[in-house]
Structures are given as structure tokens and as C-alpha cells.
């Protein structure tokens, strides 16, 4: 078994917002009702997310990523394994852990 360690710094959270908010908007829109109407206004939703992001400390942003990655650990392992398989790389990802240092 091999352990691979990646240290990540200087995450461009605005780019993350730009990438994720259309997906979030689609999921909200699919729910219908008032939430669906909010999800349909993707540009406005993205602007609101950027504004909120600007008010959050770097420490809190980083901790949120750690918490989210920990919560979605199984999905991340599955997705990384799928990307490797798609690229023709035979590998079994056993675990992914994330912590704030």
C-alpha cells in the first residue's frame, strides 16, 4: 500500500463558487416552488454566494472545505477511482482524509 499526501494552499474559492453554483441552482430548481424559483436565477444566486464568501474568514472557508470533504469522503473516493479507471489506471483508492493544519 502507498500513502499519497497532498498539501493544498491558496484555494481560489471564487472559482469554486463559479463552478458549483450552476449545479446548486439546477438542484434547487428541480425541487420546485419558491426554492425552485431561487434556483432558476443562477446569476443572482452566484452573485449572492460571492458576496457571502467575501464576508467569511479564510479560516472558516478552509474549515468548511475540511468538513465537506470529510462528510463526502465516500463519494470522493468513488469519483477519484472512477476518473482513474476512465484514464485506464488500475488502482483501488482505500481512503481519503482531510484535516486543517
Amino acid at each position: 500500500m502507498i500513502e499519497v499526501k497532498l498539501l493544498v494552499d491558496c484555494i481560489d474559492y471564487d472559482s469554486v463558487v463559479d463552478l458549483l453554483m450552476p449545479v446548486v441552482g439546477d438542484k434547487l430548481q428541480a425541487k420546485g416552488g419558491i426554492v425552485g424559483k431561487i434556483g432558476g436565477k443562477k446569476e443572482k444566486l452566484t452573485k449572492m454566494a460571492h458576496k457571502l464568501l467575501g464576508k467569511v474568514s479564510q479560516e472558516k472557508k478552509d474549515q468548511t472545505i475540511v468538513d465537506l470533504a470529510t462528510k463526502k469522503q465516500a463519494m470522493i473516493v468513488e469519483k477519484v477511482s472512477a476518473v482513474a479507471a476512465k484514464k485506464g489506471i488500475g488502482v483501488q483508492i482505500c481512503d481519503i482524509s482531510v484535516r486543517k493544519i
Side-chain angles (χ1 to χ4, degrees):
M1 192 174 293
I2 299 171
E3 180 179 33
V4 177
K5 184 176 183 179
L6 301 171
L7 295 176
V8 178
D9 194 15
C10 300
I11 297 172
D12 181 359
Y13 289 102
D14 285 312
S15 294
V16 174
V17 166
D18 291 337
L19 178 70
L20 294 180
M21 289 317 292
V23 176
V24 170
D26 289 343
K27 289 189 179 223
L28 291 174
Q29 202 168 12
K31 292 184 181 226
I34 294 172
V35 173
K37 288 180 183 180
I38 292 169
K41 298 178 181 183
K42 292 182 183 92
E43 188 174 310
K44 193 171 187 177
L45 192 61
T46 301
K47 284 182 182 181
M48 287 173 30
H50 280 290
K51 188 174 181 179
L52 177 64
L53 189 63
K55 294 180 179 185
V56 177
S57 71
Q58 186 67 39
E59 184 74 22
K60 183 65 178 169
K61 290 176 197 175
D62 291 346
Q63 189 59 52
T64 299
I65 291 293
V66 169
D67 294 345
L68 183 61
T70 300
K71 181 179 177 182
K72 298 293 186 177
Q73 179 184 15
M75 183 200 66
I76 294 168
V77 167
E78 180 183 311
K79 297 287 185 184
V80 170
S81 297
V83 168
K86 186 176 178 180
K87 299 289 184 181
I89 300 170
V91 65
Q92 179 182 358
I93 307 296
C94 299
D95 184 40
I96 292 178
S97 62
V98 181
R99 67 184 174 103
K100 175 86 174 94
I101 56 171

